[in-house]
């Protein structure tokens, strides 16, 4: 393996540029063009031969366009005799399609993983997958990072002596508990039932939140229906303050505006795994960069060092 070569798709080039700045390497150019029949074509405009190639592309809207673009980038790198093809996918949107919970439905998380491997991916670097089993959908090595260290470093600026981390559902309770341990807080969870993509019901909150400073923690916020429903339950219990945090701030269909308009929400914190348009941002939003963590993971992968050491201990310890 000779040199490192980093390329970005069109989904989030700003993040790729920031990662390259931390690595001290240039972001190599990529050309994406479209034929008259609407088919995409990708050209990696730098030498890949025997190089350790990293392709940065979160799967964000339009997801299908960016997925095909990523598949074509993998194929182009393979055709250019890349030594190794590493897919850096900060957000894997198909991870939500991780189980067969109704008759005759597809399991997109597994299918898209197979497509990436078939296209030539030899390793995947992901951030906060929707559920742990998605890791096993890939038949190539997966380095699965999380953003809890970055989130914890942000919240340590506050008095955390009376803080409770609240998971919107039991499925995310393990991550919430790990985050609570990092900042020395208590943990609670909502009893959630989902009826549709944008319709949920939270019947109760398990844990102590009355008179406490609450941090709602989820892996991603899309339409924000879960957060809005959880806020209603929390208000019935009388918390002292409320902040909202997540790794992937998708904020679809005006979710960021709706959450920001809640007068008792003091702050909304997310990371830059996905791009957030400037016109959608509110004064309550804080965006933390995960570029340093991704850059360090890329460096360690390239040098054959341990990546798990990045999240074995909380930041600042």
């Amino acid at each position: 393996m000779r040199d490192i070569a980093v390329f970005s798709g069109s989904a989030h080039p700003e993040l790729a540029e920031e990662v390259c700045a931390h690595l001290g390497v240039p972001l190599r150019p990529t050309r994406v063009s479209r034929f008259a029949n609407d088919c995409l074509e990708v050209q990696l405009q730098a030498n890949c031969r025997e190089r350790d190639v990293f392709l940065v592309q979160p799967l964000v809207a339009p997801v299908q366009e960016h997925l095909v673009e990523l598949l074509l980038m993998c194929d182009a790198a393979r055709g250019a005799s890349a030594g190794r093809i590493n897919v850096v996918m900060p957000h894997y949107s198909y991870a939500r399609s991780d189980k067969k919970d109704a008759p005759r439905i597809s399991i997109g998380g597994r299918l898209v993983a197979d497509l990436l491997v078939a296209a030539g991916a030899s390793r995947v670097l992901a951030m906060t997958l929707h559920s742990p089993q998605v890791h096993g959908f890939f038949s190539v090595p997966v380095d699965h990072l999380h953003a809890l260290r970055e989130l914890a470093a942000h919240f340590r600026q506050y008095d955390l002596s009376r803080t409770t981390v609240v998971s919107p559902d039991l499925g995310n309770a393990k991550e919430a508990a790990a985050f609570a341990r990092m900042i020395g807080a208590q943990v609670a969870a909502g009893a959630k039932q989902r009826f549709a993509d944008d319709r949920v019901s939270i019947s109760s909150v398990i844990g102590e939140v009355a008179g406490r400073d609450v941090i709602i923690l989820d892996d991603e916020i899309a339409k924000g229906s879960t957060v809005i429903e959880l806020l209603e339950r929390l208000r019935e219990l009388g918390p002292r303050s409320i902040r909202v945090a997540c790794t992937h701030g998708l904020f679809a269909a005006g979710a960021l505006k709706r959450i920001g308009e809640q007068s008792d929400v003091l702050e909304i914190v997310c990371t830059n795994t996905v791009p957030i348009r400037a016109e959608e941002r509110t004064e309550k939003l804080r965006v933390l960069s995960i570029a340093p963590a991704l850059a360090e993971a890329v460096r360690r992968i390239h040098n054959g060092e341990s990546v798990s050491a990045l999240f074995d201990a909380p930041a600042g310890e």
Side-chain angles (χ1 to χ4, degrees), residues 221-238:
I221 298 176
K223 290 187 176 181
S225 53
T226 296
V227 172
I228 298 297
E229 175 74 7
L230 180 57
L231 287 172
E232 292 295 326
R233 299 288 79 75
L234 288 172
R235 288 176 185 130
E236 297 169 358
L237 300 171

Side-chain angles (χ1 to χ4, degrees), residues 40-63:
L40 292 175
E41 181 185 67
V42 171
Q43 181 186 35
L44 304 179
Q45 297 184 305
N47 185 15
C48 297
R49 188 173 295 273
E50 295 305 317
R51 282 168 166 74
D52 206 2
V53 172
F54 290 84
L55 309 175
V56 183
Q57 181 87 320
L59 295 187
V60 296
V63 173

Side-chain angles (χ1 to χ4, degrees), residues 232-250:
E232 292 295 326
R233 299 288 79 75
L234 288 172
R235 288 176 185 130
E236 297 169 358
L237 300 171
R240 187 167 69 175
S241 69
I242 302 176
R243 289 179 166 85
V244 177
C246 69
T247 299
H248 309 300
L250 302 175

Side-chain angles (χ1 to χ4, degrees), residues 49-312:
R49 188 173 295 273
E50 295 305 317
R51 282 168 166 74
D52 206 2
V53 172
F54 290 84
L55 309 175
V56 183
Q57 181 87 320
L59 295 187
V60 296
V63 173
Q64 281 58 244
E65 290 270 326
H66 291 142
L67 171 59
V68 172
E69 192 178 296
L70 178 57
L71 294 172
L72 293 173
M73 290 171 71
C74 289
D75 183 68
R78 180 173 58 182
S81 301
R84 184 170 58 174
I85 302 170
N86 307 273
V87 171
V88 181
M89 194 164 48
H91 179 55
Y92 183 36
S93 52
Y94 273 100
R96 293 188 65 169
S97 178
D98 61 349
K99 55 188 174 296
K100 189 174 175 64
D101 53 2
R104 297 172 298 282
I105 63 169
S106 60
I107 304 178
R110 175 61 188 269
L111 174 62
V112 173
D114 288 343
L115 288 173
L116 286 168
V117 175
S122 48
R123 177 179 290 271
V124 172
L125 174 61
M127 174 77 71
T128 312
L129 295 170
H130 183 65
S131 54
Q133 65 264 27
V134 175
H135 190 136
F137 287 177
F138 292 87
S139 57
V140 295
V142 176
D143 291 302
H144 183 199
L145 304 182
H146 60 63
L148 297 185
R149 298 172 78 244
E150 287 73 16
L151 291 170
H154 171 80
F155 282 104
R156 286 194 187 105
Q157 67 181 293
Y158 303 119
D159 178 7
L160 301 173
S161 59
R162 290 184 56 81
T163 297
T164 298
V165 178
V166 179
S167 170
D169 53 49
L170 297 176
N172 196 58
K174 185 175 181 180
E175 182 179 20
F179 180 67
R181 286 194 297 272
M182 284 183 175
I183 63 174
Q186 294 185 20
V187 67
K192 185 177 83 171
Q193 185 176 6
R194 181 174 291 278
F195 300 100
D197 183 50
D198 58 351
R199 191 163 63 90
V200 301
S201 172
I202 298 177
S203 58
S204 62
V205 176
I206 306 165
E208 184 183 355
V209 297
R212 299 184 65 82
D213 300 311
V214 166
I215 300 173
I216 297 173
L217 179 70
D218 209 349
D219 61 328
E220 69 177 59
I221 298 176
K223 290 187 176 181
S225 53
T226 296
V227 172
I228 298 297
E229 175 74 7
L230 180 57
L231 287 172
E232 292 295 326
R233 299 288 79 75
L234 288 172
R235 288 176 185 130
E236 297 169 358
L237 300 171
R240 187 167 69 175
S241 69
I242 302 176
R243 289 179 166 85
V244 177
C246 69
T247 299
H248 309 300
L250 302 175
F251 302 128
L256 185 56
K257 183 175 183 291
R258 285 199 308 277
I259 298 172
E261 288 174 346
Q262 307 297 313
S263 59
D264 50 357
V265 173
L266 301 181
E267 188 178 41
I268 305 166
V269 184
C270 69
T271 74
N272 62 342
T273 55
V274 302
I276 303 173
R277 293 198 300 269
E279 61 271 21
E280 294 181 346
R281 300 193 179 204
T282 73
E283 60 181 15
K284 293 183 179 181
L285 181 67
R286 305 289 183 270
V287 181
L288 311 179
S289 178
I290 47 85
L294 288 178
E296 181 62 16
V298 167
R299 187 192 68 78
R300 288 172 181 247
I301 289 169
H302 178 65
N303 293 335
E305 300 173 9
S306 171
V307 174
S308 62
L310 284 176
F311 48 87
D312 283 343

